[in-house]
Amino acid sequence: MMIKKLFIAAFGSVSVAAINIITVPILIAAFGIEKYGLLSLILSLTLIVYVLTNLQPWQALINFWFKKNVDKTLLVYITFSYELLSCVIGSIIVFLLIYSNYINLSFIGNEKIYISILLSLSILFNFNSLIVGFNRVNEDFKSIAICDFIRALVRLFGALLTVKFNGIIFYILFYMLSNFTASLVGFLLLYKNRYEVHRLNGYKFKCLFVYLKKSYVNGFFNYSIFATLKSIIDLPMQHLDKFFVAYYLGVYSVGIYDIAKRICQGFGVVINIFNQVFFPSFVKGIMLGKKEYLIKNVYFYSFIVAFIVSIIGIVFSYNLNKISPFVNVSQNDLLFISTFVIFFLVSSSFILVHVLFQALGYIKYDVIGLIIINTIYLLILALTINFLEIYSLLLSYIIQVILVLSYKSYVIKKGPL
């Protein structure tokens, strides 16, 4: 049964990864490295706002779904309410931030108002917490794969149009449409297949605070807050470092760094399969008292996967120079990209350690650890970027990964500090 779930999730994720990787050279062909770097900064700014304003209630939905005496319909309603509030606030902030004069985006010219509106709508329509959380607890990985595939396909179509019309606004339009289409399809699938969503039709939509009297709903909010804090603390690794690179090294280096991260994100979609499939299973296993069994197997299989992935990464690195005619980058840039991707793949082999840590309910300790570790990441980056240049990102990343895995392994085996 587990193999079947992995296969279903893998089928969608592999196709999404392939589309995402194909999209990168198309965009570079349309814009060149520097303009591609500018596009990356605009999208990163949008995603930073999304992370800062989104409560990510899907994680709390999964965490509370299997507890006894829980009103699952209420959990669905709370998840929907938190996500709606998050998207509305995020969309307003993005519009004001991009349209204002506080950030220098003069390179987008007269299209500023239209890009502001489209990026604002891209957050408003990125309404997927209920879709992700609900399908995961019901082990419907096919629906998640369909939504991800549609999102990637629409963005690929937008990239192809961008080549023809040579304008950032065309890609951003399809970036927004990709979120809208994926969310629409996801909700149609939920409404068609799930009993609890049907029950919402008759649910009395009272003020949210009326429901906060129930203790598990209070816990739901607290869990969501810590999930949000964890994502905020991850911002230096996910998006803020691009602005750091832009300031010290220029937008060309941002473009090179983003190519490496886009390739990693392509593989990351596949790696995320394990999070989708194993997180609900780990939560149930821990409820049944199988913690020690899970710990033993997680580390055993993680080291095996790390060895296999290292070989795959080396093969990938060797063949990466074949794309250089398509993206017009130097051999030194390709060396950085390939090395970064190899270390990403090796570190991602330990994805189940992160999943187990989260399933054990240690998300609060995740936040505490990441505050310290990501501060170290930024300090190393700041101290080395002037002489290591773009390779300072690689050094900082390797140290950050080692520290995170060491910290989480200690907490898993010894308990919270």
Side-chain angles (χ1 to χ4, degrees):
M1 182 63 73
M2 186 62 71
I3 294 175
K4 181 181 178 181
K5 295 173 189 174
L6 282 170
F7 178 79
I8 292 171
F11 180 78
S13 296
V14 170
S15 59
V16 170
I19 292 172
N20 286 337
I21 291 174
I22 291 170
T23 301
V24 173
I26 294 174
L27 288 173
I28 293 173
F31 298 133
I33 296 292
E34 289 201 16
K35 199 170 181 181
Y36 173 78
L38 292 170
L39 172 65
S40 173
L41 288 174
I42 295 175
L43 296 180
S44 290
L45 179 63
T46 304
L47 291 172
I48 287 170
V49 174
Y50 178 76
V51 169
L52 289 172
T53 58
N54 193 280
L55 289 169
Q56 302 187 48
W58 67 269
Q59 297 190 46
L61 177 69
I62 295 174
N63 186 68
F64 284 88
W65 191 264
F66 300 104
K67 295 185 183 295
K68 295 180 180 179
N69 304 317
V70 169
D71 184 343
K72 293 182 178 179
T73 303
L74 178 55
L75 289 182
V76 171
Y77 168 65
I78 297 294
T79 302
F80 181 88
S81 301
Y82 283 4
E83 183 76 354
L84 178 61
L85 181 64
S86 298
C87 289
V88 170
I89 293 174
S91 64
I92 293 171
I93 293 175
V94 162
F95 177 81
L96 294 175
L97 195 60
I98 295 177
Y99 187 64
S100 70
N101 293 319
Y102 292 107
I103 298 177
N104 183 15
L105 297 175
S106 57
F107 59 87
I108 61 179
N110 297 328
E111 298 175 339
K112 190 174 185 179
I113 179 63
Y114 303 110
I115 289 177
S116 302
I117 293 171
L118 290 174
L119 289 176
S120 174
L121 292 175
S122 74
I123 286 190
L124 185 63
F125 295 144
N126 196 16
F127 208 90
N128 59 1
S129 258
L130 184 57
I131 296 167
V132 171
F134 205 72
N135 283 320
R136 285 193 185 185
V137 295
N138 287 284
E139 300 182 344
D140 184 2
F141 304 108
K142 181 180 178 181
S143 293
I144 297 174
I146 290 172
C147 294
D148 289 340
F149 179 79
I150 289 172
R151 180 181 284 108
L153 194 63
V154 173
R155 290 181 185 180
L156 174 60
F157 187 65
L160 291 170
L161 275 183
T162 301
V163 173
K164 182 177 180 180
F165 294 102
N166 193 27
I168 284 180
I169 193 167
F170 288 99
Y171 182 72
I172 292 179
L173 170 63
F174 280 87
Y175 181 85
M176 180 274 293
L177 290 175
S178 70
N179 287 344
F180 173 77
T181 309
S183 297
L184 178 62
V185 171
F187 273 103
L188 289 174
L189 291 171
L190 278 184
Y191 190 80
K192 180 180 179 181
N193 299 325
R194 295 291 173 248
Y195 169 67
E196 282 85 0
V197 178
H198 275 300
R199 284 182 60 193
L200 284 178
N201 288 333
Y203 216 81
K204 294 181 179 179
F205 279 61
K206 299 177 182 179
C207 176
L208 192 59
F209 292 103
V210 172
Y211 300 115
L212 293 180
K213 296 177 182 178
K214 297 196 176 185
S215 60
Y216 63 85
V217 177
N218 280 322
F220 188 103
F221 178 76
N222 292 336
Y223 194 96
S224 294
I225 288 296
F226 276 108
T228 303
L229 286 174
K230 179 182 178 299
S231 296
I232 292 172
I233 294 165
D234 269 340
L235 280 175
M237 288 287 297
Q238 299 300 324
H239 302 293
L240 287 176
D241 51 4
K242 290 182 184 177
F243 293 91
F244 209 85
V245 173
Y247 180 79
Y248 283 98
L249 303 179
V251 291
Y252 179 87
S253 294
V254 174
I256 296 299
Y257 183 41
D258 192 70
I259 292 171
K261 296 192 79 169
R262 284 289 192 108
I263 294 172
C264 292
Q265 287 168 7
F267 286 115
V269 172
V270 180
I271 294 162
N272 193 48
I273 295 168
F274 294 92
N275 190 6
Q276 291 183 35
V277 174
F278 284 100
F279 181 44
S281 299
F282 281 6
V283 171
K284 286 189 283 187
I286 291 166
M287 294 287 183
L288 296 172
K290 297 182 179 180
K291 176 183 174 181
E292 295 302 321
Y293 171 81
L294 289 172
I295 292 174
K296 180 181 177 181
N297 282 276
V298 160
Y299 282 94
F300 176 75
Y301 288 110
S302 292
F303 280 106
I304 292 176
V305 173
F307 175 74
I308 296 172
V309 164
S310 298
I311 297 173
I312 296 172
I314 292 170
V315 173
F316 171 79
S317 174
Y318 177 77
N319 288 280
L320 191 64
N321 62 353
K322 294 179 182 179
I323 73 168
S324 58
F326 301 100
V327 296
N328 193 27
V329 297
S330 68
Q331 288 299 313
N332 184 59
D333 293 332
L334 281 176
L335 178 62
F336 167 78
I337 293 168
S338 59
T339 309
F340 192 94
V341 171
I342 288 173
F343 278 103
F344 170 82
L345 290 172
V346 173
S347 67
S348 297
S349 302
F350 294 87
I351 179 66
L352 292 182
V353 175
H354 302 289
V355 176
L356 179 59
F357 191 91
Q358 187 178 359
L360 286 166
Y362 292 159
I363 192 166
K364 178 170 69 175
Y365 304 98
D366 203 2
V367 170
I368 296 170
L370 284 176
I371 289 174
I372 299 170
I373 293 169
N374 283 352
T375 300
I376 294 172
Y377 170 83
L378 289 176
L379 285 173
I380 294 171
L381 189 60
L383 292 171
T384 60
I385 196 167
N386 282 327
F387 60 93
L388 290 180
E389 296 184 341
I390 199 167
Y391 282 92
S392 62
L393 292 160
L394 181 60
L395 175 64
S396 304
Y397 174 66
I398 293 171
I399 294 174
Q400 195 265 1
V401 167
I402 293 172
L403 290 175
V404 168
L405 285 173
S406 300
Y407 169 73
K408 288 189 176 181
S409 297
Y410 181 87
V411 174
I412 288 172
K413 292 180 179 180
K414 302 293 185 179
L417 299 174

